[in-house]
Amino acid sequence: MTYVADLHVHSRFAYACSKNISLKGMAEWAKLKGIDLLASGDFTHPAWNRELKQKLNEVGSGLYQFGDVNFVLGTEISCVYSQGGLGRRVHVLVFAPDFKAVDLLCRSLAAAGAKLGGDGRPSVSLSARDLTALAIGLDCMVIPAHVWTPWYGMYGSKSGFDRLEDCFHDMSRHIHAIETGLSSDPEMNWSFSELDGKSIVSFSDAHSLPNLGREVTVFAGEPGYDALRDALALQQVEYTVEFYAEEGKYHYSGHRKCGVRHSPEDTARQGSRCPECGRPLTLGVLHRVKGLSDADVTGALDTSGMVRSSQRPPFIRTVSLLDIIAQSLGRGRATKGVQREYRRITGELGSELQTLIHSGVHDLESVAGERIAEAVMLARSGRVTVEPGFDGEYGRVQIWDRPEQLPLELDGYTR
Ligand SMILES: [Zn+2]
Ligand SMILES: [Zn+2]
């Protein structure tokens, strides 16, 4: 038994998040996507906290349900503080076993000056170490969020650290997992030896319902709070499903306003100042990963699209089905036609993840048509072109950018 988890999500009470994120909507989209376990998001926000308590049913061992969709209590907190003469901003995911722990945590955060009624992802003036000590004392779990992103990642170029221990100190032993974020994938993390022995997990950080599950982690076992703790500590990740890292908003370095985009090689050649405005570039995720890597571990693509290495759980890269349908129809992903087609295909094949990862080419062709089947196979096997994202701008995936593209031998990908 395995289950699909998306444990970095937000409610409508977090800044820049869609106003229609409700428990009902989350449960509906979890089914469309094929997600078995969701985090509640934003449990420190008083209004969302009240709604969670009213609408979630506790089914034991830290597991809650809305309808028949499973939830754990999980949120994101922004630690804003100084260390070593530098301003630090580190985002962490915090998971709680029950509402009693949630309420005690909220009380301590409020006592430390956090304004919990504002952003659902509150800022606290505690170090990541001190927040972790507080959380662990309440039987909570902590996972550093999107660790490589420049502004809020533990290893970020703007306000992060070079080593996990520099950030978490004596609490490092309680950190069993890191979230890769959209701009990095597991393979990029395999070459950083201090992450050996840590679980590498991926979640969506969705700010709207259709983005739920754009990255997920598949765990062994049955969903539950204690089971999740064990899975993270023992690295029982079956596989993760990944965005193309180039599609992430901070994969490359650059300046959005100046239209300057740098690969790490460009920065090595031209320096880390913007050639247009002369100010420091926002150094992206690939730059940091390359700078901190101390090993050379690469994976190999198998015929099902999984990237495997001998020591690590595998992962698969894919492209959002809404984007695939939108590109195949030549329309925007929010248009009625694209949405209708999305619901029809996921309904017939079971879910989006079933469609993107598991469906065989013959099923895809008969339900979704040859063009979409081809796109799913191209995405699964790494044969798409991505213009890398930089300085807050998403990368762009092009599925059919080369009209003379060689025909695919799809038979290798039927399973
Ligand atoms: Zn964050
Ligand atoms: Zn510039």
Side-chain angles (χ1 to χ4, degrees):
M1 162 88 194
T2 61
Y3 64 93
V4 175
D6 184 357
L7 304 180
H8 185 167
V9 307
H10 290 286
S11 73
R12 63 185 179 279
F13 296 101
Y15 284 163
C17 287
S18 160
K19 293 298 159 220
N20 59 19
I21 306 179
S22 61
L23 278 171
K24 186 161 169 275
M26 289 162 82
E28 184 201 349
W29 277 89
K31 297 238 155 145
L32 290 168
K33 295 280 172 174
I35 299 165
D36 303 307
L37 179 67
L38 276 176
S40 64
D42 301 353
F43 64 49
T44 60
H45 191 279
W48 187 243
N49 178 298
R50 221 168 16 246
E51 198 166 320
L52 294 173
K53 283 175 181 160
Q54 277 165 8
K55 295 184 177 167
L56 290 179
N57 294 318
E58 189 172 4
V59 291
S61 71
L63 196 65
Y64 293 79
Q65 284 184 335
F66 180 90
D68 55 355
V69 174
N70 293 309
F71 284 83
V72 286
L73 304 175
T75 195
E76 182 180 33
I77 293 175
S78 179
C79 296
V80 180
Y81 58 107
S82 300
Q83 186 181 317
L86 283 175
R88 310 288 184 169
R89 299 193 202 108
V90 178
H91 283 187
V92 295
L93 302 176
V94 178
F95 299 93
D98 51 35
F99 281 111
K100 194 171 154 223
V102 165
D103 290 344
L104 288 169
L105 183 67
C106 289
R107 209 176 298 163
S108 299
L109 296 178
K115 292 186 176 57
L116 302 181
D119 191 350
R121 177 203 308 96
S123 291
V124 300
S125 48
L126 290 173
S127 68
R129 185 261 163 219
D130 289 352
L131 175 68
T132 303
L134 180 63
I136 296 299
L138 295 169
D139 202 24
C140 294
M141 289 185 270
V142 172
I143 301 177
H146 44 71
V147 293
W148 298 100
T149 53
W151 301 99
Y152 301 105
M154 169 178 65
Y155 297 130
S157 61
K158 290 285 181 188
S159 56
F161 300 85
D162 286 353
R163 302 197 58 85
L164 187 132
E165 286 232 329
D166 296 341
C167 181
F168 287 97
H169 308 279
D170 56 325
M171 289 294 125
S172 301
R173 65 195 168 88
H174 296 291
I175 305 298
H176 297 298
I178 59 106
E179 185 195 32
T180 56
L182 299 179
S183 297
S184 90
D185 61 33
E187 192 175 22
M188 292 165 67
N189 289 266
W190 292 341
S191 295
F192 190 28
S193 63
E194 83 161 11
L195 296 178
D196 292 354
K198 307 279 181 212
S199 287
I200 293 174
V201 294
S202 292
F203 307 122
S204 71
D205 195 359
H207 291 195
S208 65
L209 294 169
N211 278 341
L212 280 176
R214 59 185 168 176
E215 295 203 327
V216 295
T217 300
V218 181
F219 291 103
E222 304 264 350
Y225 186 80
D226 292 330
L228 182 64
R229 185 204 305 272
D230 291 347
L232 293 171
L234 301 171
Q235 297 179 67
Q236 287 166 342
V237 169
E238 289 284 305
Y239 61 93
T240 61
V241 178
E242 304 282 331
F243 225 53
Y244 277 80
E246 296 87 345
E247 213 186 330
K249 288 199 274 195
Y250 292 103
H251 187 71
Y252 265 17
S253 304
H255 259 181
R256 178 153 60 152
K257 283 195 184 125
C258 303
V260 170
R261 169 172 40 196
H262 267 196
S263 67
E265 294 72 28
D266 292 332
T267 308
R269 238 183 353 256
Q270 301 173 39
S272 59
R273 287 192 174 268
C274 175
E276 294 295 320
C277 73
R279 296 175 44 213
L281 295 173
T282 304
L283 295 172
V285 164
L286 190 59
H287 179 94
R288 282 294 282 169
V289 169
K290 287 192 180 247
L292 293 181
S293 290
D294 54 1
D296 189 17
V297 183
T298 53
L301 194 70
D302 76 9
T303 53
S304 65
M306 286 282 174
V307 180
R308 296 182 186 276
S309 86
S310 54
Q311 303 106 355
R312 286 292 199 167
F315 68 94
I316 184 164
R317 298 184 176 101
T318 187
V319 175
S320 143
L321 184 58
L322 283 165
D323 289 339
I324 287 176
I325 298 169
Q327 281 197 37
S328 82
L329 298 179
R331 295 191 220 163
R333 64 181 246 159
T335 57
K336 278 218 174 79
V338 171
Q339 295 288 329
R340 200 180 318 119
E341 192 62 355
Y342 176 83
R343 284 176 185 260
R344 186 187 68 75
I345 294 169
T346 52
E348 285 188 42
L349 290 172
S351 69
E352 177 171 349
L353 284 165
Q354 184 67 29
T355 306
L356 292 176
I357 310 299
H358 302 297
S359 291
V361 69
H362 300 299
D363 287 345
L364 286 169
E365 279 177 349
S366 68
V367 172
E370 275 182 25
R371 196 163 160 79
I372 288 173
E374 184 192 28
V376 169
M377 289 303 170
L378 287 168
R380 232 184 250 181
S381 56
R383 285 183 276 183
V384 296
T385 307
V386 193
E387 207 177 285
F390 66 104
D391 196 20
E393 178 128 335
Y394 278 112
R396 290 196 188 87
V397 176
Q398 282 298 117
I399 296 165
W400 295 281
D401 65 332
R402 289 163 293 170
E404 76 285 11
Q405 202 155 39
L406 296 170
L408 262 179
E409 287 168 29
L410 291 174
D411 287 350
Y413 297 96
T414 51
R415 96 185 154 106

